[in-house]
């Protein structure tokens, strides 16, 4: 069930360089949102909505948290919305992460940059199910880092920056060997990172969340498609995804 | 009581509002939002003879007051569309228009012929104006004699009324319209998107993987109005107008320019309820500007 509705901005703040955390309120959308889903947000009079993943969801308070990076005219305008204003939102959209893993198993969360947010709601949900969480978060540099403490509350957390200005230097794939045994991985981040990661963890059970420029966000316009492994057909990122099994699609 | 009904070749429409081809898929996704039986008609996404996987991504980009797209006619092929999509849409009390495309004259004929096998499709929209695939029909859409040839061939292959969708990427739209009318077109559908490009500053590359895309949205509405205004005075077949319609006022503007019905495209992406909302609003807007029916408003903006 998808709803087009107003969401009230409960709070908005800058949590890292060009990175905004916004808490939105809507009973229906927060009530059914699952980790990995996204909101399609109308910003001003822009022709296309902006797809932004759900970073957290509080079903008691009817709140959803989104995190986004200012990366163009749409997100720049969205960053200027104030507490108390309303956003026109279509959501929750897409198929989220599978969270029915076995209790006591260990999962590895690997996030890159603005791909980090959906992993937080996922990690919280998995932890509530008794699953052990280990997280690797990659950022460009120190002033881009966010949610380190939040992830540490879920379990052991490694921070990696490209230039080594914070945490480990290098890429998320460089520290995977240090994390020990895990049963399954979940990842979201830039395509080059996901390519390197799925290659390194070939054969391992994993799920990846993808982003792409979208039109309708509901599967009708065929803008955000991705070839399947066998090359004979496509998956729609907005409707069939954004979460896919790592082996299911070609990056 | 405002009369929204309109009679077109093969199409008794309860109202003049239909979603435009390519902007509504085959209706499934939008049927979750409202009863598609409310629509005057549905124009399906383009069908080709065999399935097409379309262009690489990114396929869309926002522009000032519009968007570019280069989907590349991705579709499962006419036979699969007949089997799964037409049968799905036929459950709704609305008319179905099949948009047909091809890269050769023979492919157009095959697709047109295939739709003879179903009683649920009421008209064809002949897509000779897709700007986004190498042989996607645009060569048929920019040369009057080629346009006439494909129109004639499709008319011969099909039992259904044929609405030819014209490309705005021409110098003389009237000669295109006259050529397809003379070749037997039952109606026109105009306009398709305008070819455009956007360059992404950080990467210094065209934002759309196909490099060029079709511009749609409110940015192109004045072009559509102008072309419909010119063409409607020169042909005797009805026009389904489209290009950047966002509200019922825009619909009236298209009627005044000479369109008999309209299609809503890009606006569906921002608001999945847009067609339904426009249908609700149209009677008020017609009344407001002194019309008691859709029929009455057609061509009333033409200055003699």
């Amino acid at each position: 069930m998808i709803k087009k509705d107003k969401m009230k901005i409960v709070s908005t703040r800058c949590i890292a360089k060009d990175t905004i955390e916004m808490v939105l309120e809507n009973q229906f959308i927060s009530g059914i949102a699952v980790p990995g889903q996204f909101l399609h947000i109308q910003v001003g009079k822009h022709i296309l909505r902006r797809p932004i993943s759900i970073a957290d969801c509080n079903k008691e308070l009817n709140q959803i948290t989104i995190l986004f990076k200012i990366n163009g005219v749409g997100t720049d305008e969205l960053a200027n919305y104030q507490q108390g204003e309303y956003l026109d939102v279509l959501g929750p959209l897409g198929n989220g992460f599978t969270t029915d893993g076995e209790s006591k198993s260990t999962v590895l969360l690997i996030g890159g940059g603005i791909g980090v947010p959906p992993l937080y709601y996922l990690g919280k949900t998995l932890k509530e199910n008794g699953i052990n969480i280990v997280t690797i978060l990659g950022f460009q540099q120190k002033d881009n880092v966010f949610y380190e403490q939040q992830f540490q509350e879920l379990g052991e957390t490694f921070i990696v920056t490209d230039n080594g200005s914070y945490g480990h230097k290098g890429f998320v794939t460089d520290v995977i060997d240090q994390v020990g045994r895990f049963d399954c991985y979940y990842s979201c981040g830039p395509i080059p990172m996901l390519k390197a990661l799925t290659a390194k963890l070939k054969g391992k059970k994993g799920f990846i969340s993808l982003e792409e420029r979208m039109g309708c966000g509901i599967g009708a316009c065929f803008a955000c498609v991705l070839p399947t492994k066998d090359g004979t057909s496509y998956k729609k990122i907005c409707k069939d995804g954004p979460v896919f099994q790592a082996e299911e699609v070609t990056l | 009581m405002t009369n929204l009904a309109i009679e077109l070749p093969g199409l008794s429409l309860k109202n003049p509002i239909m979603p435009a081809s390519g902007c509504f898929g085959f209706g499934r996704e939008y049927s979750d939002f409202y009863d598609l039986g409310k629509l005057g008609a549905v124009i399906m996404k383009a069908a080709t003879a065999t399935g097409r996987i379309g262009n690489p991504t990114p396929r869309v980009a926002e522009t000032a007051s519009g968007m570019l797209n280069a989907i590349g006619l991705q579709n499962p092929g006419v036979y699969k569309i007949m089997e799964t999509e037409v049968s799905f849409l036929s459950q709704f009390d609305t008319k179905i228009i099949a948009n047909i495309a091809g890269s050769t004259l023979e492919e157009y004929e095959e697709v047109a012929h295939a739709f003879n096998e179903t009683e649920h499709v009421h008209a064809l929209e002949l897509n000779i104006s897709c700007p986004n695939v190498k042989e996607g029909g645009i060569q048929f859409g920019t040369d009057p004699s080629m346009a006439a040839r494909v129109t004639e061939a499709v008319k011969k292959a099909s039992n259904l009324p044929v609405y030819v969708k014209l490309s705005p990427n021409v110098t003389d739209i009237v000669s295109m319209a006259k050529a397809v009318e003379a070749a037997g077109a039952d109606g026109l559908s105009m306009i398709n998107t305008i070819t455009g490009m956007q360059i992404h500053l950080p990467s210094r590359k065209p934002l759309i993987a196909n490099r060029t895309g079709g511009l749609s949205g409110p940015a192109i509405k004045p072009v559509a109005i102008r072309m419909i205004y010119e063409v409607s005075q020169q042909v005797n077949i009805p026009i389904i107008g489209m290009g950047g319609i966002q509200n019922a006022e825009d619909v009236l503007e298209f009627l005044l320019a000479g369109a008999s019905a309209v299609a809503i495209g890009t606006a569906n992406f921002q608001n999945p309820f847009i067609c339904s909302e426009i249908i609700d609003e149209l009677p008020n807007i017609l009344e407001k500007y002194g019309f008691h029916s859709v029929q009455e408003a057609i061509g009333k903006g033409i200055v003699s």
Side-chain angles (χ1 to χ4, degrees):
Chain A
M1 175 78 190
I2 300 166
K3 201 161 178 174
K4 178 180 174 291
D5 209 352
K6 298 273 179 230
M7 294 189 85
K8 186 180 181 180
I9 301 172
V10 177
S11 68
T12 175
R13 63 184 183 119
C14 183
I15 56 163
K17 183 170 185 266
D18 295 334
T19 310
I20 307 295
E21 178 198 70
M22 209 177 247
V23 179
L24 307 172
E25 189 179 279
N26 180 291
Q27 187 175 9
F28 178 85
I29 296 175
S30 64
I32 61 170
V34 299
Q37 286 188 303
F38 66 97
L39 303 179
H40 215 21
I41 301 177
Q42 179 63 39
V43 181
K45 295 197 166 179
H46 283 275
I47 295 297
L48 295 176
R49 289 172 178 268
R50 298 314 196 254
I52 298 187
S53 60
I54 294 171
D56 197 8
C57 178
N58 184 323
K59 295 185 193 293
E60 279 85 55
L61 297 175
N62 305 323
Q63 290 176 350
I64 279 181
T65 302
I66 55 168
L67 296 176
F68 60 92
K69 192 164 181 182
I70 299 172
N71 192 29
V73 289
T75 42
D76 189 42
E77 197 173 328
L78 182 58
N80 283 319
Y81 275 71
Q82 302 296 317
Q83 179 185 344
E85 289 189 279
Y86 285 83
L87 290 173
D88 175 337
V89 172
L90 202 56
L93 299 184
N95 280 312
F97 291 102
T98 309
T99 53
D100 54 358
E102 280 175 42
S103 180
K104 299 218 165 53
S105 62
T106 298
V107 308
L108 177 61
L109 307 180
I110 309 135
I114 207 60
V116 168
L119 299 179
Y120 182 63
Y121 183 27
L122 171 69
K124 263 177 76 171
T125 307
L126 292 171
K127 193 176 163 75
E128 280 164 18
N129 296 349
I131 292 166
N132 301 316
I133 312 288
V134 180
T135 305
I136 305 172
L137 304 179
F139 299 94
Q140 269 181 327
Q141 53 189 28
K142 187 179 177 183
D143 56 5
N144 299 117
V145 177
F146 59 86
Y147 270 38
E148 181 184 12
Q149 199 192 329
Q150 283 89 332
F151 278 95
Q152 273 171 349
E153 284 164 16
L154 302 178
E156 190 179 11
T157 300
F158 298 82
I159 305 287
V160 183
T161 51
D162 296 0
N163 61 5
S165 54
Y166 193 79
H168 301 258
K169 182 179 191 299
F171 298 116
V172 293
T173 40
D174 297 333
V175 294
I176 285 180
D177 298 330
Q178 298 176 35
V179 303
R181 203 192 61 82
F182 57 92
D183 302 290
C184 165
Y185 72 94
Y186 296 87
S187 185
C188 183
I191 294 285
M193 182 196 100
L194 294 175
K195 269 188 179 167
L197 186 73
T198 50
K200 189 171 173 86
L201 298 178
K202 201 170 175 8
K204 195 94 182 167
K205 186 180 173 194
F207 299 88
I208 53 174
S209 179
L210 303 173
E211 59 172 19
E212 180 57 83
R213 286 175 182 271
M214 288 183 186
C216 66
I218 57 173
C221 78
F222 293 75
C224 59
V225 297
L226 186 77
T228 51
K229 214 64 172 182
D230 61 9
T232 61
S233 68
Y234 273 74
K235 294 273 185 186
K236 299 171 186 173
I237 292 177
C238 67
K239 196 181 184 189
D240 302 322
V243 177
F244 296 95
Q245 290 185 41
E247 311 274 304
E248 189 181 0
V249 289
T250 304
L251 297 173
Chain B
M1 182 73 182
T2 317
N3 186 3
L4 296 186
I6 196 87
E7 287 294 327
L8 299 179
L11 302 166
S12 289
L13 304 179
K14 64 180 94 168
N15 64 61
I17 307 298
M18 55 190 94
S21 183
C23 300
F24 208 72
F26 298 97
R28 282 180 194 274
E29 294 78 16
Y30 290 92
S31 69
D32 292 340
F33 291 95
Y34 62 92
D35 174 10
L36 303 187
K38 189 171 174 181
L39 297 166
V42 171
I43 311 180
M44 293 192 292
K45 186 165 171 55
T48 49
T50 51
R52 273 179 182 263
I53 56 173
N55 292 327
T57 60
R59 292 175 167 187
V60 293
E62 187 180 77
T63 66
S65 297
M67 65 173 275
L68 291 167
N69 89 81
I71 307 297
L73 296 179
Q74 180 176 354
N75 80 96
V78 65
Y79 301 103
K80 209 163 224 175
I81 289 171
M82 298 256 293
E83 192 184 307
T84 57
E85 308 302 342
V86 172
S87 55
F88 169 79
L89 273 173
S90 68
Q91 69 181 293
F92 301 101
D93 177 25
T94 189
K95 303 294 176 188
I96 302 175
I97 302 173
N99 181 294
I100 67 168
S103 42
T104 61
L105 205 60
E106 292 71 31
E107 185 175 8
Y108 277 105
E109 286 171 331
E110 182 182 348
V111 181
H113 187 76
F115 280 117
N116 289 339
E117 299 302 311
T118 169
E119 52 178 359
H120 300 300
V121 171
H122 305 94
L124 298 182
E125 180 178 55
L126 175 53
N127 185 356
I128 54 168
S129 45
C130 177
N132 295 329
V133 294
K134 281 200 184 73
E135 292 169 354
I138 191 75
Q139 82 277 23
F140 293 107
T142 49
D143 173 346
S145 63
M146 291 280 277
R149 266 181 71 197
V150 67
T151 303
E152 216 167 292
V154 165
K155 277 295 289 178
K156 205 175 273 177
S158 175
N159 303 328
L160 296 168
V162 175
Y163 292 74
V164 180
K165 188 165 187 175
L166 299 182
S167 170
N169 302 304
V170 295
T171 312
D172 182 2
I173 190 77
V174 171
S175 67
M176 293 298 302
K178 281 183 162 172
V180 300
E181 182 185 33
D186 298 279
L188 300 172
S189 159
M190 57 191 287
I191 58 174
N192 207 321
T193 56
I194 302 175
T195 314
M197 183 186 269
Q198 189 169 31
I199 295 174
H200 184 236
L201 302 187
S203 65
R204 306 178 184 180
K205 286 180 184 151
L207 215 154
I208 290 202
N210 188 52
R211 298 181 194 168
T212 61
L215 181 66
S216 64
I220 73 166
K221 200 189 85 181
V223 179
I225 296 288
R226 186 268 293 179
M227 289 188 160
I228 292 165
Y229 186 94
E230 289 177 357
V231 167
S232 65
Q233 298 174 67
Q234 301 288 329
V235 298
N236 294 307
I237 49 178
I239 297 171
I240 300 172
M242 65 204 67
I245 294 174
Q246 289 193 300
N247 51 48
E249 283 89 344
D250 291 343
V251 174
L252 176 57
E253 195 178 341
F254 274 78
L255 297 174
L256 294 176
S260 296
V262 297
I264 320 285
T266 305
N268 287 290
F269 300 162
Q270 191 180 89
N271 178 6
F273 294 99
I274 192 70
C275 292
S276 170
E277 288 176 6
I278 287 178
I279 291 165
D280 292 338
E281 188 56 19
L282 191 56
N284 302 332
I285 295 302
L286 288 168
E287 288 288 336
K288 179 178 171 186
Y289 290 95
F291 297 105
H292 302 295
S293 69
V294 166
Q295 183 66 50
E296 202 186 332
I298 298 169
K300 286 298 190 301
I302 294 168
V303 181
S304 54

